[in-house]
């Protein structure tokens, strides 16, 4: 008994050390990236970054205020389009659908997820920008919204399926119809995971550049409403990073840092606001 | 939570308030983006009710979008060909006018251990290297133009642009003019089938690769080389002189071509005549439809072009762009009246 | 379970539509219809994208036919286009990225779900999820400025000295390569694996763990033999998410892969991927055949995704003990 439990302990310790190392590598990478962005872009992070419009080369005091707002608007529209479709689709897959339809929809969702972002941009250009006759924030939101769907579907479905059958059965035993059981018991039980999936989704599209190039294009000025081309953080980062000027490079790094902070902020706020009081079936 | 979402809705609606004044959108070449963003920003300071928004999505994108009518004007580093002109006419019902704005150049940049000065590169050497025919740095073709420089016997690593670009267009246009073999084997385009070499994305991809790879050579925009302090070589021009790319030598290339400038300004000035001309220079153009329906937009465009050809030109050199030569400016001022 | 509500049937007129209305008032029909519409919308959107790709690539498809998939030449000036090197590069880099990201991701998820205290686990997961938000172009720049020199100076020489005889590590290394692209991709896709896997691991019911521990298993044995298998479908799902992201990634890949349309066995050679070439050439491409060929590449990627997903699912079904659904 003793030698084998000793060996078990060694394995125990070693494996957890190994997995801890894995986690450390990932976290370390992120910290490194953040540090790099701050180190290289820190000089550009002043008040003017958040309040001013972009300035041409050689002029100081340029900022990315319009890109911040533009990103906010585009992401808002993307969330309003992508999350409802994704969430409800995920509910359908996990609660209502038969095996064959579920297989097909899952496969199709994975296909959609694999479409390169630039191709989504090209398609939305053909379907939205071209008929409208001009680039717009709206088109950008549509493109990013489509990109949000697959992750939302898959994560919603996974977390709903992970809810133990005993919870559903308890609800039915109390006389709830299926839809009521889903809304009042199953979804709240999975809510924590669903929010996590949504935030991951949002994070992913927040950094996408290629689809916006063909839909929202970009703008040096403010873009009122939803019908005009609009500046967004990722496109600004892209434009500035590939330019020859050191000053613009710094702004690109700074913008990268701001983008990450924006996503972090949305993440923290959403989790605090939405997951209060939800049941967490902690194992 | 409910209240904050209400504020968000109100804020968004507030943004939906209509913009005062006129707004023009243009898209196209990346090369002149810094210049155009300066021009449009300064012009906006002069005319507060006019916003000209220019975005760099590539010359091809510029041509496409102005043809589709999703932007008011386009910009390109390589002139539109006849097929594209015909397509524009068919889709938009009028002609498209080319207006050269500034000039730039493409320079050969390299990283050869032990070589610190400027190399003299002949057109034959460049063509041979990029065709994969000349494989070592101490090849006779390179050595004979550089007496006194110790060139290693190592393999040359070629780096080219992977993304389609006007820079590539100018570079291969030059190679096609000086090397019949290049012309037949590879040809001219914003993207070509490179016989050898690694592809770097953008100027920074090429220069980054070169910095890290000993014995490498590639091409980048002059501005990029200047701003990032990259070493670049001299190229022999059509008159036989080895010229370093500088603003003066670039403008000289355009002056040489000005004598034979076609009325529509679609001309390639690579390998231009002139003793001081830098042979790998190029115009960059704005693409303006010849018919602009909206009278306010039409006036705005015409006024801007006049300003661009006057005070605008003075802003070019501080940003490392070369000004247009005077005869070309004069021709363009006359051409503005073609916009109806 | 009866779902029709108990309403006064006298109050409602008879008829088929009315019976639908009756069920509608119970909510079941609404719930089903709404969710079904959403799922159908996904199908419609994907089909629409597929259709657009099909329609816009017509010129190229007619010109090259199936040979497009097997030819290697990519010459925009001469109008000759072939997809093979791009297909190869896409598959190689994605597979390499998965080979790195799966153990790394699952390992991290296990640590975060089972080992770390809840607060630390949450905080660390926040940070890791931020990795998904880093714009692709920044990953590319970091790859060029940091990863490639490190690989060139230290990692690859070490690899070559140990494994140099293998064909996958042959040849000169210029920094940009399948290898670099695979590594950058793995960093980009690992947050998806970690985030989703951690959540499903956490949601495995407590009684499962307690039963295992009660039988005398160590914590690690419990995790590896009980918890992880319970969460396996979720983990598989996260791997599919990661695979899809790897296949479609554009900017970061194009900055570190070398953008050379060729097929080489060595991971150290430069290559090209479908998404990268579309990103590089689409904005500048003029000419209907050229544009059409690029769009056809997008269609080909659809096909590659289809096939890879299918292969992965077959693999799962073959190795799954339980009736794990796809």
């Amino acid at each position: 008994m003793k030698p084998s439990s000793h060996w078990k302990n060694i394995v125990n310790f070693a494996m957890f050390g190994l997995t801890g190392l894995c986690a450390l590598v990932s976290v370390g990478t992120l910290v490194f990236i953040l540090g790099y962005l701050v180190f290289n872009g820190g000089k550009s992070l002043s008040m003017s970054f958040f309040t001013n419009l972009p300035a041409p080369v050689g002029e100081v005091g340029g900022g990315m205020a319009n890109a911040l707002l533009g990103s906010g608007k585009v992401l808002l529209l993307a969330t309003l389009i992508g999350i409802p479709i994704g969430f409800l689709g995920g509910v359908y897959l996990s609660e209502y659908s038969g095996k064959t339809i579920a297989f097909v929809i899952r496969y199709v969702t994975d296909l959609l997820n694999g479409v390169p972002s630039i191709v989504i941009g090209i398609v939305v250009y053909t379907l939205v920008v071209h008929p409208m006759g001009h680039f717009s924030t709206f088109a950008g939101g549509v493109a990013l919204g489509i990109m949000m769907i697959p992750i939302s579907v898959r994560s919603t479905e996974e977390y709903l399926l992970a809810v133990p059958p005993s919870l559903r059965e308890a609800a039915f035993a109390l006389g709830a119809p299926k839809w009521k059981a889903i809304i009042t018991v199953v979804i709240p039980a999975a809510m924590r995971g669903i929010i996590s999936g949504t935030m991951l989704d949002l994070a992913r599209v927040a950094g996408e550049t290629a689809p916006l190039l063909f839909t929202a294009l970009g703008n040096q000025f403010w873009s009122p409403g939803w019908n005009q081309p609009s500046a967004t953080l990722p496109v600004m980062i892209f434009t500035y990073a590939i330019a020859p000027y050191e000053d613009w490079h710094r702004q690109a790094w700074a913008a990268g840092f701001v983008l990450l902070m924006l996503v972090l902020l949305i993440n923290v706020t959403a989790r605090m606001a939405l997951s209060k009081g939800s049941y967490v079936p902690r194992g | 939570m409910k209240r904050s979402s209400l504020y968000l809705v109100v804020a968004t609606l507030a943004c939906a308030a209509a913009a005062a004044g006129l707004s023009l959108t243009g898209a196209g070449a990346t090369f002149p983006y810094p210049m155009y963003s300066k021009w449009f920003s300064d012009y906006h300071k002069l005319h507060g009710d006019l916003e000209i928004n220019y975005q760099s999505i590539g010359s091809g994108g510029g041509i496409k979008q102005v043809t589709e009518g999703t932007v008011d004007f386009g910009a390109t580093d390589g002139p539109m060909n006849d097929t594209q002109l015909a397509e524009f006419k068919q889709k938009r019902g009028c002609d498209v006018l080319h207006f050269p704005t500034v000039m730039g150049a493409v320079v050969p940049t390299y990283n050869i251990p032990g070589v610190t000065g400027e190399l003299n590169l002949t057109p034959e050497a460049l063509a041979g290297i990029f065709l994969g025919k000349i494989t070592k740095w101490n090849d006779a073709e390179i050595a004979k133009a550089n007496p006194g420089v110790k060139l290693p016997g190592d393999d040359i690593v070629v780096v080219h642009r992977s993304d389609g670009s006007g820079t590539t267009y100018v570079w291969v246009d030059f190679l096609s003019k000086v090397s019949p073999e290049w012309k037949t084997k590879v040809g001219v385009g914003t993207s070509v089938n490179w016989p050898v070499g690694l592809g770097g994305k953008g100027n920074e991809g090429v220069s980054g690769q070169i910095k890290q790879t000993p014995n490498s050579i590639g091409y980048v925009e002059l501005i990029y080389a200047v701003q990032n302090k990259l070493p670049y070589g001299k190229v022999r021009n059509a008159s036989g002189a080895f010229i370093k790319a500088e603003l003066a030598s670039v403008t000289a290339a355009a002056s040489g071509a000005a004598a034979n400038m076609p009325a529509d300004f679609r001309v390639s000035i690579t390998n231009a005549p002139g003793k001081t001309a830098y042979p790998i220079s190029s115009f960059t153009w704005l693409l303006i439809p010849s018919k602009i329906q909206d009278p306010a937009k039409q006036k705005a465009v015409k006024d801007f072009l006049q300003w661009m050809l006057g005070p605008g030109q003075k802003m070019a050199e501080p940003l490392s762009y070369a000004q247009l030569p005077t005869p070309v400016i004069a021709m363009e001022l006359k051409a503005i009246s073609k916009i109806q | 379970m009866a779902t029709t509500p108990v309403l006064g049937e006298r109050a409602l007129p008879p008829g088929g539509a009315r019976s639908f209305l009756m069920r509608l008032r119970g909510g079941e029909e609404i719930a089903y219809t709404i969710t079904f519409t959403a799922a159908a919308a996904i199908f419609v959107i994907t089909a629409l994208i597929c259709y657009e790709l099909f329609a816009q690539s017509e010129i190229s498809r007619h010109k090259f036919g199936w040979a497009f998939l097997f030819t290697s030449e990519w010459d925009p000036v001469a109008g000759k286009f072939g997809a093979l090197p791009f297909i190869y590069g896409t598959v190689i880099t994605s597979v390499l990225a998965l080979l790195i990201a799966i153990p790394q991701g699952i390992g991290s998820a296990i640590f975060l779900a089972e080992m770390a205290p809840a607060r630390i686990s949450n905080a660390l997961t926040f940070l890791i999820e931020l990795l998904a938000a880093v714009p692709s172009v920044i990953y590319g720049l970091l790859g060029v400025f940091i990863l490639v020199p490190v690989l060139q100076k230290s990692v690859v020489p070490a690899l070559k000295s140990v494994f140099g005889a293998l064909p996958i590590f042959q040849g000169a290394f210029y920094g940009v390569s399948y290898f670099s692209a695979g590594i950058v991709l793995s960093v980009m896709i690992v947050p998806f694996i970690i985030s989703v896997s951690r959540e499903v691991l956490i949601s495995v019911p407590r009684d499962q763990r307690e039963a295992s521990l009660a039988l005398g298993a160590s914590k690690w044995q419990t995790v590896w033999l009980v918890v992880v298998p319970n969460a396996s479908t979720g983990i598989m799902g996260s791997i599919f998410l990661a695979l899809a992201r790897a296949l479609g990634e554009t900017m970061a890949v194009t900055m570190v892969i070398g953008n050379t349309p060729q097929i080489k066995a060595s991971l150290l050679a430069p290559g090209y991927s479908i998404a990268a070439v579309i990103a590089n050439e689409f904005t500048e491409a003029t000419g209907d055949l050229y544009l059409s060929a690029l769009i056809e590449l997008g269609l080909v990627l659809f096909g590659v995704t289809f096939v890879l997903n299918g292969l992965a699912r077959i693999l799962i079904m073959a190795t799954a003990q339980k009736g794990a659904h796809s």
Side-chain angles (χ1 to χ4, degrees):
Chain A
M1 263 312 265
K2 262 217 151 157
S4 86
S5 76
H6 191 60
W7 174 246
K8 267 202 287 187
N9 281 336
I10 294 179
V11 170
N12 215 32
F13 187 73
M15 291 320 282
F16 280 120
L18 202 62
T19 55
L21 193 66
C22 289
L24 197 68
V25 166
S26 289
V27 174
T29 312
L30 187 274
V31 171
F32 176 80
I33 293 177
L34 279 179
Y36 192 89
L37 291 174
V38 172
F39 182 73
N40 283 299
K43 273 178 254 172
S44 295
L45 277 177
S46 57
M47 249 340 257
S48 59
F49 185 89
F50 295 96
T51 50
N52 291 4
L53 289 176
V57 190
E59 279 177 40
V60 289
M64 294 205 189
N66 59 343
L68 270 169
L69 183 63
S71 268
K73 281 158 73 173
V74 163
L75 287 176
L76 179 68
L77 185 60
T79 313
L80 289 176
I81 294 177
I83 299 298
I85 296 181
F87 177 74
L88 292 171
V91 170
Y92 177 78
L93 279 180
S94 96
E95 305 297 323
Y96 287 110
S97 72
K99 265 212 146 151
T100 336
I101 296 192
F103 181 81
V104 168
I105 302 266
R106 278 191 205 108
Y107 214 103
V108 162
T109 307
D110 283 335
L111 280 184
L112 184 59
N113 205 11
V115 178
S117 52
I118 192 164
V119 172
I120 302 238
I122 296 168
V123 170
V124 174
Y125 170 82
T126 315
L127 295 175
V128 178
V129 175
H130 200 226
M132 276 175 82
H134 53 82
F135 298 96
S136 62
T137 316
F138 173 72
V142 169
L144 292 186
I146 293 178
M147 292 187 70
M148 285 187 87
I149 294 176
I151 297 182
S152 179
V153 172
R154 279 307 222 140
S155 58
T156 305
E157 187 203 352
E158 288 304 337
Y159 298 132
L160 284 176
L161 285 173
V163 173
S166 49
L167 276 177
R168 293 170 215 265
E169 285 159 13
F172 292 148
L174 289 169
K178 185 168 179 182
W179 66 273
K180 217 172 193 173
I182 295 173
I183 294 182
T184 55
V185 177
V186 182
I187 289 179
M191 191 46 101
R192 180 206 145 106
I194 293 176
I195 293 174
S196 158
T198 305
M199 287 301 111
L200 189 68
D201 210 1
L202 192 71
R204 189 244 165 120
V205 296
E208 287 288 348
T209 320
L212 292 172
L213 281 174
F214 297 103
T215 49
L217 192 68
N219 205 328
Q220 276 165 298
F221 306 100
W222 294 104
S223 168
W226 298 90
N227 258 345
Q228 293 189 31
S230 167
T232 46
L233 281 175
V235 172
M236 290 294 273
I237 294 173
F238 174 68
T239 313
Y240 277 21
I242 63 174
Y245 307 102
E246 191 54 48
D247 175 51
W248 276 6
H249 291 168
R250 266 186 285 120
Q251 285 202 42
W253 297 121
F257 181 73
V258 169
L259 179 63
L260 289 182
M261 290 300 107
L262 181 71
V263 171
L264 186 64
L265 191 68
I266 298 177
N267 203 341
V268 170
T269 321
R271 275 181 216 242
M272 278 193 336
L274 294 171
S275 70
K276 281 204 194 96
S278 71
Y279 169 63
V280 176
R282 176 103 208 190
Chain B
M1 185 63 200
K2 287 221 176 90
R3 193 176 287 186
S4 50
S5 51
L6 180 66
Y7 287 157
L8 187 63
V9 169
V10 169
T12 315
L13 288 175
C15 298
L22 188 59
S23 173
L24 291 171
T25 307
T30 357
F31 160 70
Y33 178 72
M35 184 78 257
Y36 292 177
S37 68
K38 173 110 184 107
W39 276 346
F40 297 135
S41 165
D42 278 14
Y43 200 69
H44 175 65
K45 293 197 187 103
L46 294 171
H47 302 260
D49 56 344
L50 173 63
E51 288 179 353
I52 308 180
N53 170 26
Y54 178 79
Q55 294 300 317
S56 53
I57 57 175
S59 303
I63 295 175
K64 220 180 332 158
Q65 297 313 319
V66 76
T67 309
E68 297 293 332
T70 47
V71 294
D72 298 302
F73 64 93
T76 175
D77 294 330
M80 288 168 75
N81 59 31
D82 295 330
T83 328
Q84 292 163 338
L85 288 179
E87 192 184 345
F88 186 95
K89 186 146 190 167
Q90 185 234 329
K91 283 199 172 146
R92 300 256 69 80
C94 62
D95 290 315
V96 59
L97 302 169
H98 287 67
F99 282 94
T101 50
V102 285
M103 300 169 46
V106 182
V107 298
T109 173
Y110 44 80
N111 174 1
I112 310 170
V115 174
T116 45
E118 288 159 3
L119 277 186
N120 290 334
L121 294 161
T122 60
E124 293 76 26
L126 286 173
I129 293 173
F130 279 82
L131 277 168
K133 290 274 185 61
I134 297 180
T135 51
K136 297 211 187 285
W137 278 112
N138 59 0
D139 189 290
E141 181 64 48
I142 308 174
K144 72 180 186 207
N146 295 284
V149 178
K150 193 163 185 327
L151 293 163
D154 296 308
D155 285 340
I156 302 178
V157 180
V158 173
V159 184
H160 55 77
R161 289 282 289 268
S162 62
D163 47 325
S165 83
T167 315
T168 298
Y169 186 90
V170 176
W171 183 257
V172 298
D173 185 55
F174 169 73
L175 289 179
S176 288
K177 281 189 184 163
V178 301
S179 164
E181 187 179 353
W182 182 275
K183 189 169 174 147
T184 40
K185 194 161 179 234
V186 186
V188 184
T190 51
S191 284
V192 297
N193 190 12
W194 299 92
V196 291
L198 306 167
K201 176 151 176 66
N203 283 306
E204 74 288 350
V206 171
S207 67
Q209 187 66 43
I210 291 178
K211 272 202 200 114
Q212 292 164 17
T213 313
N215 299 308
S216 58
I217 182 171
Y219 60 90
V220 292
E221 289 161 17
L222 171 62
I223 303 177
Y224 196 84
V226 166
Q227 291 285 338
N228 290 278
K229 305 197 183 16
L230 302 173
Y232 58 95
K234 297 185 189 172
V235 183
R236 197 186 65 205
N237 65 9
S239 305
F242 283 99
I243 303 290
K244 182 166 176 170
E246 275 154 346
L247 299 180
S249 56
V250 174
T251 311
S255 308
N260 296 324
M261 180 73 75
D264 63 357
F265 299 106
R266 293 188 303 144
V267 67
S268 149
I269 54 172
T270 50
N271 216 25
K275 271 211 278 301
T276 54
Y278 179 70
I280 320 182
S281 307
S282 164
F283 285 120
T284 183
W285 293 263
L286 281 177
L287 300 169
I288 316 270
S290 62
K291 271 206 193 42
I292 303 179
Q293 303 274 27
D294 184 329
K297 280 190 177 177
Q298 197 194 118
K299 180 168 191 311
V301 168
K302 283 173 144 168
D303 288 345
F304 173 75
L305 285 173
Q306 291 225 283
W307 177 89
M308 180 270 287
L309 292 165
Q313 289 294 308
K314 310 257 180 334
M315 300 180 182
E317 301 216 340
L319 291 177
S320 300
Y321 291 91
Q323 295 188 48
L324 297 170
T326 331
V328 177
I329 294 181
M331 278 179 78
E332 285 191 58
L333 283 166
K334 284 206 208 89
I336 295 181
S337 55
K338 283 198 202 149
I339 304 174
Q340 306 285 318
Chain C
M1 183 76 202
T3 51
T4 50
V6 181
L7 290 172
E9 280 171 58
R10 301 173 295 259
L12 298 161
R18 296 307 176 180
S19 81
F20 175 81
L21 263 173
M22 200 158 69
R23 279 177 289 147
L24 207 58
R25 294 193 62 168
E28 200 55 49
E29 233 11 81
I30 302 181
Y32 184 85
T33 317
I34 293 177
T35 55
F36 179 77
T37 312
I42 301 170
F43 189 83
V44 166
I45 291 174
T46 313
L48 197 59
I49 293 177
C50 198
Y51 170 74
E52 276 297 324
L53 289 178
F54 204 73
Q56 289 188 39
S57 64
E58 176 163 349
I59 303 172
S60 172
R61 277 184 296 108
H62 276 164
K63 177 138 196 235
F64 302 114
W66 288 104
F68 188 72
L69 294 176
F70 304 110
T71 343
S72 291
E73 205 184 343
W74 188 263
D75 191 339
V77 177
K80 295 209 196 81
F81 301 104
L84 196 59
F86 309 106
I87 298 175
Y88 179 78
T90 305
V91 173
I92 292 285
T93 49
S94 302
V95 169
L96 181 60
L98 279 181
L99 285 176
I100 300 175
I102 291 178
Q104 155 82 5
I106 296 182
S108 305
I110 290 176
F111 178 79
L112 290 170
E114 304 297 320
M115 209 32 210
R119 278 241 179 108
I120 296 185
S121 177
N122 286 336
L124 289 183
T125 312
F126 262 22
L127 288 181
I128 292 177
E129 284 171 4
L130 267 194
L131 278 175
V134 177
S136 189
V137 83
I138 289 189
Y139 271 120
L141 290 172
L142 289 174
V144 168
F145 291 152
I146 299 184
L147 180 72
V148 162
V150 164
L151 287 179
Q152 253 182 321
K153 288 205 188 82
S154 358
V155 179
V156 170
L159 269 175
K160 280 190 116 166
S161 64
V162 178
F163 296 111
L166 294 174
I168 54 170
F169 289 122
Q170 298 272 2
F173 181 66
Y174 297 113
V176 290
S177 58
Y178 298 113
F179 191 53
S180 318
I183 295 179
V184 172
L185 275 180
S186 73
V187 176
M188 295 177 78
I189 67 177
V190 94
F192 298 96
I193 298 180
I194 295 179
S195 173
V196 175
S197 298
R198 172 182 168 265
E199 285 294 339
V200 291
L201 283 171
I202 288 177
S203 65
V204 170
R206 180 176 266 171
D207 47 7
Q208 297 276 346
R209 297 167 216 263
E210 286 174 358
S212 168
L213 290 170
L215 288 170
S218 72
K219 186 152 189 200
W220 171 255
Q221 283 174 323
T222 307
V223 166
W224 189 244
L225 299 172
V226 177
V227 181
V228 168
N230 251 298
S232 62
T233 30
I235 296 178
M236 291 300 176
S238 76
I239 295 177
F240 278 114
L241 284 181
L243 170 67
R245 174 99 210 246
L247 288 171
E249 180 48 50
T250 45
M251 293 296 184
V253 170
T254 181
M255 289 182 174
V256 295
I257 197 173
N259 301 317
T260 313
Q262 62 182 7
I263 300 178
K264 288 269 150 92
S266 170
L267 289 178
L268 302 180
Y272 224 153
S273 80
I274 295 176
V277 72
I278 298 178
N280 273 326
E281 300 189 4
F282 192 80
T283 46
E284 288 287 342
T286 43
D288 289 332
L289 179 63
Y290 193 6
L291 282 168
S292 164
L294 286 169
I295 303 269
E296 191 178 350
L297 273 181
L299 192 62
V300 168
L301 185 60
F302 234 93
V304 170
T305 315
F306 195 88
V307 168
L308 279 180
N309 266 298
L311 287 175
R313 281 185 165 77
I314 293 175
L315 193 69
I316 294 171
M317 280 196 258
T319 56
Q321 293 110 336
K322 303 178 235 185
H325 45 120
S326 58

